[in-house]
Amino acid sequence: TARREKAVIMTGFSSRMQMSREVAQALASNKPVVALESTILCHGMPYPSNVRTALEVEEIIRSAGAVPATIAIIGGIPHVGLTRKEIEMLGREGHKVKKVSRRDLAYVVASRVHGATTVSATMILAHAAGVRVFVTGGIGGVHRGVESTWDVSTDLRELGRTPVCVVCAGVKSILDIPKTLEYLETEGVPVMTYGQKDFPSFFTASSGVRSPMTVGSAEQAAAVVGAQADLGLGGTLVAVPIPREHQADAAEVEGAISACLERARAEGVTGNAITPFILQGVKDLTKGKSLEANISLVKNNALVGAEIARHVSRAEVRPRARARLRPREAEREGRLAK
């Protein structure tokens, strides 16, 4: 099919970026495009749930009137838009595929190996391709116990510098949510929660922490995204609560997280290995309930993200009103010119 064909474009990267024809045609005609990461495919879910979920999320985005652009590095080449065969290959390879953040991009490209892009790397490649909206499960953040580990996700700094709207279910609940929101404030990132006042907690709809901002519609969120871009600022974050009928039990999840954090400390798990380690442990301890919640929230985010992308796309094609001087200002300008 046309969506499986590839069109090669050049970017600022030293290597080629390969874009699917479906994505290239959508961007050329200013149709809404939604970026998707590949870490959730390779490191976030077991096979075959990962592949099935990735394909279902893409179809949700298409059915909502947008074009999905799953991003990954294959053989050292950044890909924006994957074929079904490529998604299947990455899903089967799973943890063998290197997890890639901003720090790792150049190394993986130069080494000509496969890479699963995290939030930060996906934002960089999406922006390079001209994709304005990106849907994921949850972003990284400030880890619990940061006082001794200094473990802060590069996702937060990327949000402060790269003008892409990230739609997620909040910060992964294994992290320190209040400290993460403080860090995002320092980075100047507009943090909007969709449809409620409390910031969500990934597996559950509410973290009990008040959100810095609230938006009541995709159109309102898209307006903030547009204003942020016009002002020449960085990224934006839209936190979408998991539907309450799909959320996990908060006490059960918190208990599992605490147990997994203790186990991670005992086993010396650190760095970018700790998030998949804990998520897998939480899945096991909750007997798969956390995985079910994870799949549900990603699909829900895809629906909201596609709607935001549609509004962002519409706003871009509207002619912008030219600034006009008021009569007295025009008269004064005329006198000065004389």
Side-chain angles (χ1 to χ4, degrees), residues 318-324:
R318 290 192 195 116
R320 294 188 181 272
R322 292 183 179 179
R324 293 183 176 88

Side-chain angles (χ1 to χ4, degrees), residues 110-126:
S111 302
R112 299 182 181 180
V113 297
H114 299 335
T117 55
T118 63
V119 169
S120 64
T122 303
M123 287 183 73
I124 292 167
L125 296 174

Side-chain angles (χ1 to χ4, degrees), residues 271-285:
N272 63 9
I274 195 165
T275 297
F277 177 87
I278 294 175
L279 288 176
Q280 180 61 42
V282 171
K283 170 184 167 287
D284 294 340
L285 291 174

Side-chain angles (χ1 to χ4, degrees), residues 138-337:
I139 64 166
V142 178
H143 281 256
R144 302 186 192 192
V146 67
E147 298 85 354
S148 58
T149 65
W150 288 88
D151 195 346
V152 178
S153 171
T154 189
D155 295 353
L156 305 184
R157 292 210 65 196
E158 206 60 54
L159 276 158
R161 67 173 76 169
T162 302
V164 170
C165 172
V166 178
V167 182
C168 64
V171 179
K172 293 183 178 74
S173 51
I174 63 175
L175 305 172
D176 189 318
I177 293 175
K179 284 187 176 67
T180 298
L181 292 176
E182 287 288 347
Y183 198 107
L184 286 169
E185 180 185 5
T186 300
E187 290 294 323
V189 180
V191 176
M192 302 166 273
T193 294
Y194 191 84
Q196 67 178 39
K197 292 181 179 180
D198 279 0
F199 191 76
S201 183
F202 195 65
F203 293 126
T204 55
S206 175
S207 65
V209 179
R210 186 57 63 96
S211 177
M213 304 168 194
T214 300
V215 289
S217 67
E219 185 175 10
Q220 187 181 0
V224 178
V225 173
Q228 183 86 341
D230 289 346
L231 291 166
L233 302 175
T236 52
L237 184 72
V238 179
V240 183
I242 181 174
R244 293 185 183 274
E245 63 271 23
H246 297 303
Q247 70 178 347
D249 181 82
E252 183 180 14
V253 169
E254 184 58 34
I257 290 171
S258 297
C260 291
L261 284 169
E262 186 59 40
R263 184 181 158 205
R265 281 191 287 269
E267 297 184 17
V269 180
T270 59
N272 63 9
I274 195 165
T275 297
F277 177 87
I278 294 175
L279 288 176
Q280 180 61 42
V282 171
K283 170 184 167 287
D284 294 340
L285 291 174
T286 60
K287 297 181 172 62
K289 293 175 187 173
S290 65
L291 176 60
E292 292 172 8
N294 199 349
I295 292 171
S296 296
L297 66 85
V298 170
K299 291 179 178 180
N300 188 54
N301 294 347
L303 277 173
V304 175
E307 192 175 353
I308 292 172
R310 289 204 314 271
H311 284 289
V312 168
S313 178
R314 288 172 192 160
E316 287 178 343
V317 297
R318 290 192 195 116
R320 294 188 181 272
R322 292 183 179 179
R324 293 183 176 88
L325 291 171
R326 288 190 289 269
R328 287 185 180 178
E329 291 172 336
E331 186 181 343
R332 183 169 65 250
E333 290 289 337
R335 287 199 302 268
L336 288 174

